[in-house]
Amino acid sequence: DIYMNAFPDENERERFDNFLKYLKRGETARDYCYHIVLAKDEGGRVIGGCVFNYLKKSNAGVTEFLAIRNDRQSGGIGTRLYKHVQKVLSEDAHRILGKPLDYICCEIDSPEYSRAEIKKYLYFWNKNNFWRLNFDYVQPALSADQEPVDGLWFTISPQRSGAATVSSRLVADVLYD
């Protein structure tokens, strides 16, 4: 329910069977790692989650989605979950390439496209140092029976200090992978 509520546009949603396929394929892949992390409350009920992956070629992580149940938002759960994502992606980079992670990328709804009444998601990504890259971004169709999605921003967060620019080659590599 959390996932469906966070992504009401079915064209933005990955199919659940694909999640399982990507996890299985990621078990033996040498050029990427696929992760699904769930946040649970004290009673063991899922209150949020994140799907993310590490890409060796670009030494970058991609947050596919991060969502927290509406009634539990703004309580620090998303921030704790994102900090865990950073830790796991950093560990992936060190284990696979032997060096620190360079970037984490994420596509988010543009404020004009978003169905959210309150744009608090913009605050969340901004406080975690994500920058919008200024180009027209379209999420490719996720399957043969889905449509491409426009109205999204491609954002990036440098993970090492001193990065003030992002190369077009890096963006192309991330989008390709």
Side-chain angles (χ1 to χ4, degrees):
D1 291 344
I2 298 165
Y3 181 63
M4 303 296 259
N5 288 336
F7 298 94
D9 181 345
E10 66 183 34
N11 292 308
E12 277 190 89
R13 280 185 256 155
E14 190 66 73
R15 303 263 191 297
F16 287 107
D17 56 331
N18 282 345
F19 289 141
L20 297 175
K21 180 174 69 176
Y22 300 149
L23 278 171
K24 184 79 169 160
R25 190 171 32 184
E27 290 175 357
T28 58
R30 297 184 191 278
D31 55 349
Y32 80 99
C33 300
Y34 194 80
H35 304 279
I36 298 176
V37 175
L38 300 177
K40 295 182 177 185
D41 67 11
E42 303 78 25
R45 293 176 300 266
V46 174
I47 56 173
C50 188
V51 173
F52 58 103
N53 43 85
Y54 171 77
L55 306 172
K56 177 182 176 181
K57 181 177 181 180
S58 55
N59 192 34
V62 176
T63 303
E64 293 187 21
F65 85 85
L66 188 151
I68 304 299
R69 200 172 73 198
N70 287 341
D71 64 331
R72 297 297 297 265
Q73 292 178 0
S74 300
I77 297 165
T79 297
R80 288 196 310 272
L81 187 57
Y82 179 68
K83 296 297 180 199
H84 180 73
V85 168
Q86 285 180 300
K87 178 181 177 286
V88 170
L89 290 171
S90 179
E91 289 169 355
D92 287 344
H94 281 286
R95 186 181 68 257
I96 293 171
L97 286 180
K99 65 182 199 175
L101 181 70
D102 289 329
Y103 299 94
I104 299 177
C105 305
C106 185
E107 59 187 29
I108 65 172
D109 287 350
S110 72
E112 298 82 27
Y113 176 81
S114 176
R115 291 179 180 87
E117 291 177 28
I118 302 172
K119 308 295 190 240
K120 58 186 166 187
Y121 69 94
L122 293 172
Y123 171 76
F124 176 85
W125 293 112
N126 185 55
K127 82 174 183 176
N128 285 294
N129 197 33
F130 278 81
W131 314 332
R132 175 189 178 207
L133 298 182
N134 195 17
F135 67 95
D136 293 331
Y137 174 69
V138 176
Q139 174 189 289
L142 297 174
S143 71
D145 60 336
Q146 290 175 285
E147 298 293 324
V149 178
D150 57 8
L152 300 175
W153 287 354
F154 187 82
T155 65
I156 194 162
S157 175
Q159 297 299 294
R160 295 196 263 170
S161 63
T165 62
V166 176
S167 75
S168 59
R169 178 80 258 152
L170 171 86
V171 174
D173 286 346
V174 168
L175 293 175
Y176 179 80
D177 289 341

